Amino acid sequence: MATEHVALVAGAEGGTSVKPDTKQQSTQGNVVNDFSIQIATVNGSGSQSANLVLLKSIFRMGIPVSGKNLFPSNIAGLPTWYTIRASKDGYVARKKEIDVLIAMNPETSKEDMLSLPPGAAAIYEESANLQQFRDDVACYPVPFDKLTAAVCPEAKLRKLVKNMIYVGVAAQLLKMDMAAVEAALRKQFAKKVKAADLNWAAVQAGYDYSSTTFTKSDPFVLDVMNETAGKIIIDGNAAAALGCIFAGCTVAMWYPITPSSSLVENFIDYAKRYRVGEDGKATFAVVQAEDELAAIGAVFGAGWAGARAMTATSGPGISLMAEFAGLGYYAELPGVIFDVQRTGPSTGMPTRNQQGDLLSVAFLSHGDTKHIMLIPGSVKECYEMAQSAFDLTEQLQTPVFVMSDLDLGMNNWMSEPFAYPDKPLNRGKVLSAEDLTKLGGFARYKDVDGDGIGYRTLPGTDHPLAAYFTRGSGHNEKAQYTERPDDYFNNMERLAKKFETARSLVPRPEVVQTGKSKVGLIAFGTSDFATRESRDQLSKEYGLDADYLRLRAYPFSREVQEFVASHERVYVIEQNRDAQMLSLLKLDLPAEEIVKLRSIRHFNGLPIDARSVTDDLVTQEGI
Amino acid sequence: MGTTPVTSTPVEAPKPAAKTNRIGLQVLDYRGGKTTLCAGCGHNVISERIIDAFYEMGVQPERLMKLSGIGCSSKSPAYFMSRSHSFNSVHGRMPSVATGALLANRTMKALGVSGDGDTASIGVGQFVHMMRRNVPLIYIIEDNGVYGLTKGQFSATADIGSKLKTGVINDLPPIDTCSLAIQLGATFVGRSFSGDKKQLLAMLKAAIAHNGTVVLDVISPCVTFNDHEGSTRSYKYMQEHEEAISEVGFVPHFQEIDVEYDPGTTINVEMHDGSHLRLRKLHEEYDPTDRIAAISALMSAHAKEEVLTGIFYIDTQKPSFTDMLNLVDEPLGTLPDERVRPGRQVLDDVMQRLM
């Protein structure tokens, strides 16, 4: 199954395997490779390189690691946080508690300090004097400006270089492998040797200051493991872009919107590198549109004319695409839409995470419309589902939405390397001029094969019978204009049948079931990470072994009903207020199954964490 | 040629008796379904001219994509050239659909049919960006100043003072789609009148020869809602106020140029496909390569309550949008797998870098 490897970090078969490592646990009183680091900075202060060096150093030490950028809608000046979680057990969900704080933002440092659990550690600018607020936190005040000035004579670079000082301090305190840190840093600045040297000097300055100044008074340490060899680190948007490259996507039209923009930007980068011939001519066209209406219009125009076309957007863009999405459904047009979800509405918290577009996308537009959604739960699935989406949209001749989100799309995740596609592209039912000669013509909307999917021709097919007229719902089997009740009715019934066909073609859910548990969990997308971890918590702390089904697509395949039917209580875990996935399940399941559904929701803008899931479930279970 | 009007009728073949064009097709092969528009509607006449133009230019119908938005005008692609693929899209959004279709297959000709509401109101955003890109498309605005399908409300091209049947008078200024087109980068801009058969046909044939955005604003009276006294889009008003800036002659590339012309009175434009436009000046300062002069002429005419027609502006040098993108010669949409899916070593290379 496609997602087994995602468990890279999480062990095989859905569950998170806890591998006790005697060596690591023998270090007395220490918390080894199992804590979170939060770097609080000011947006635009250039901390991203430093944070990535920290993340990738831990990765190079062989320790499972994940990173999340919790950022404001702002270019410079507002507070931003980067969270790194090292987890020997491979947990990659956001950890609710912060164990090590690096407080670089004077605006938020007091609040950051106060939010720490007892026993945490804090690295901060000396002058902030944060030790006054907590006596139960290990404090490491650092004179950042003084240390920076000493290694960076050029004043205007100091703001950036300062960040590398905290990398050095953290590396020393957390007992990191400095060879790994240097390798990560030099790779980060691969093409800029001078910058690499300067930044490395800053790391060393931080390290030296820490080692000569501090006596370690916290338990958090990192120790070399061997869990990341052969793995990659990539964000979901880049992974999806790569999927588009290998899916043979030829047309992309888009309007920039966070958090989806980097998907197309990555596509452009990859395509320029790998899809331009020696003569400089491209096998792809990317156009920045005037708005999302134009983006989706061009996608359908291109799909109609035979191209594998895509756009990437987020909630507000989805809203603008609504009218066209309906036409795409009725006129049976292929096109792939990546929805990298964020919190609604257009203004507010556009850079925060939510699984909030499920209901609006499932029925996007007016009239009787319903759409196919693929729901990647890992970067590897972003890559794979991008490819499935293009196959499905051409096979089914209907728009396909890939429902990623900010957490998956914009954050870095470890993964097994992606596999080269083993099947040729499935271009669906397209008739050539030769076919038309053989058949003596065709009826565009006739259900020849009993699957609800007609045959189409592409503009430019050199045959007098190739052309047909594309319009909305008012057409008969031969694509002629009609407003006859029976024609409309029959067409709608065929479209419904096509949706049933889709049910058996979309990616099946991933199920972990012992057959013994009365409690089932259903999650999807980025709610998966917290759900896996929560299952382990439930098992270890409460002796509750819950079965688990991870949805990967809408419409739901039959396994979903079977899963619900075989449990007494099924918790649907999702990141929105209104239980949107649960609502979709309610529409699909028989009444006797619906009553078993319960809801666990997380919707404060932050990615869902395991502890919140566990606490909510335990309360509802009354244990 | 001198003062003799340049006609669009080819001097040699096809002879009137001949039933086929230069690619051996009959005019029947360019016909469409039966119109459902009102009898006497200007749009039907435009459809006839489109049929004539593509027939006479000998364009293989299968090489054309017809696209439209919503409205009476946008229904009309069903009434001509049934052998061409057609796409009736969303109100005001045809330019994006056409752009996508042309990206998928840049070897096709594309014809967009829109109306004044579809273009100048709901669709003005996509209209301007299509022109800014110089998308290679013939964009016809069947302009009657009202919304027909919703029973006669004013559109944004209606003139100040124009009166509806109900007596309502328009008091907002019109959007001049031609001035807008010239400003925003369309490379072939003209206005015609559905009742002016000769001029419209010549302009359509020249449009077929052009590579870039062609905007043709064709005044096309709405016999049901806007053809009465007091309307500035009626047949009568047009007959009284039409003022041609030039006389449009067209010599297609497949026809020998044996017509002399007087460079003092006629401007010769060599087009992308080797055809020639012969524009005989009817206005002293007429220069169709001068954007500023073109806009000035349009504004002056408007001030005089004249409806200026003819080709106002043409630029045969600016690359079209699909040329600018430096795409492979073949249609992107039907490239074989091996040309659009990189090999195994490419993925290995990418993975290696991510480790």
Side-chain angles (χ1 to χ4, degrees), chain A residues 4 28 35 72 86 134 144 182 231 236 245 561 600 616:
Chain A
E4 267 170 41
Q28 247 195 354
F35 57 91
R134 295 289 292 264
F144 279 103
E182 183 170 7
K231 305 273 198 309
I245 291 287
Q561 187 178 332
I600 291 178
D616 194 341

Side-chain angles (χ1 to χ4, degrees), chain A residues 187 246 273-274 420 423, chain B residues 133 341-342 349 353 355:
Chain A
K187 192 173 177 188
F246 287 93
R273 194 174 299 157
Y274 300 119
Y420 192 75
K423 285 191 208 114
Chain B
R133 296 187 183 110
R341 173 184 274 175
D349 174 44
R353 286 190 222 195
M355 280 178 190

Side-chain angles (χ1 to χ4, degrees), chain A residues 245-559:
Chain A
I245 291 287
F246 287 93
C249 171
T250 49
V251 174
M253 193 131 161
W254 67 302
Y255 189 76
I257 180 171
T258 305
S260 73
S261 304
S262 63
L263 197 160
V264 181
E265 285 164 344
N266 274 289
F267 180 77
I268 294 169
D269 289 347
Y270 286 130
K272 278 187 177 164
R273 194 174 299 157
Y274 300 119
R275 293 274 299 276
V276 176
E278 281 170 13
D279 56 0
K281 293 190 169 185
T283 62
F284 69 96
V286 181
V287 178
Q288 187 179 319
E290 54 271 33
D291 55 30
E292 287 90 344
L293 296 96
I296 187 77
V299 164
F300 286 144
W304 174 75
R308 293 200 142 189
M310 67 95 162
T311 187
T313 189
S314 192
I318 289 290
S319 301
L320 290 177
M321 292 176 183
E323 186 186 18
F324 254 123
L327 182 72
Y329 174 80
Y330 286 104
E332 302 182 63
L333 305 168
V336 172
I337 301 109
F338 290 91
D339 178 6
V340 188
Q341 296 166 92
R342 64 184 216 191
T343 50
S346 303
T347 54
M349 303 213 299
T351 59
R352 306 295 172 161
N353 198 55
Q354 195 172 39
Q355 296 176 314
D357 298 345
L358 301 160
L359 277 175
S360 58
V361 167
F363 307 112
L364 190 66
S365 205
H366 47 269
D368 287 318
T369 46
K370 36 189 176 179
H371 299 293
I372 292 164
M373 300 191 284
L374 307 187
I375 311 167
S378 64
V379 289
K380 191 156 193 292
E381 281 191 345
C382 288
Y383 167 77
E384 289 165 349
M385 285 188 182
Q387 296 174 65
S388 319
F390 282 101
D391 281 348
L392 286 167
T393 198
E394 291 194 320
Q395 252 181 298
L396 291 158
Q397 300 173 16
T398 198
V400 171
F401 293 79
V402 183
M403 307 298 289
S404 178
D405 65 20
L406 184 148
D407 187 16
L408 186 55
M410 288 189 73
N411 286 320
N412 279 302
W413 302 87
M414 284 176 49
S415 173
E416 289 292 331
F418 303 157
Y420 192 75
D422 54 2
K423 285 191 208 114
L425 310 179
N426 186 339
R427 306 301 309 262
K429 299 179 185 179
V430 178
L431 296 173
S432 65
E434 296 74 51
D435 294 333
L436 291 167
T437 302
K438 247 180 274 168
L439 295 165
F442 84 117
R444 168 70 182 93
Y445 299 110
K446 190 169 175 165
D447 185 7
V448 178
D449 303 323
D451 54 6
I453 307 163
Y455 285 79
R456 64 180 182 133
T457 55
L458 305 180
T461 305
D462 189 16
H463 194 284
L465 299 174
Y468 68 96
F469 199 99
T470 300
R471 53 164 71 82
S473 59
H475 56 72
N476 62 18
E477 284 183 344
K478 292 178 181 166
Q480 294 160 327
Y481 182 68
T482 174
E483 295 190 17
R484 286 171 57 106
D486 53 341
D487 281 333
Y488 183 84
F489 177 85
N490 292 336
N491 190 48
M492 293 302 285
E493 287 286 274
R494 183 181 55 77
L495 287 173
K497 188 199 269 179
K498 186 162 90 169
F499 206 67
E500 286 307 304
T501 301
R503 205 183 279 280
S504 61
L505 293 178
V506 296
R508 293 174 183 286
E510 186 184 61
V511 184
V512 189
Q513 197 168 355
T514 59
K516 290 174 199 156
S517 182
K518 290 174 182 175
V519 174
L521 311 179
I522 290 180
F524 57 93
T526 56
S527 298
D528 171 61
F529 313 119
T531 304
R532 285 166 183 256
E533 189 178 347
S534 172
R535 280 185 75 221
D536 290 349
Q537 291 174 350
L538 289 166
S539 176
K540 271 189 281 187
E541 298 169 19
Y542 298 93
L544 174 67
D545 291 314
D547 292 338
Y548 179 35
L549 179 144
R550 181 171 69 87
L551 292 166
R552 303 204 302 152
Y554 178 81
F556 307 119
S557 40
R558 60 176 169 73
E559 290 89 343

Side-chain angles (χ1 to χ4, degrees), chain A residues 137-149:
Chain A
V137 167
C139 293
Y140 305 103
V142 179
F144 279 103
D145 290 335
K146 205 175 99 193
L147 294 176
T148 309

Side-chain angles (χ1 to χ4, degrees), chain B residues 214-252:
Chain B
V214 178
V215 172
L216 293 182
D217 180 42
V218 186
I219 308 299
S220 172
C222 173
V223 290
T224 305
F225 296 109
N226 208 12
D227 195 29
H228 48 269
E229 196 61 40
S231 158
T232 62
R233 286 287 190 283
S234 65
Y235 280 110
K236 186 162 172 269
Y237 186 90
M238 279 305 291
Q239 278 148 11
E240 289 167 0
H241 294 79
E242 183 182 358
E243 169 68 24
I245 196 166
S246 66
E247 199 168 77
V248 182
F250 179 73
V251 187

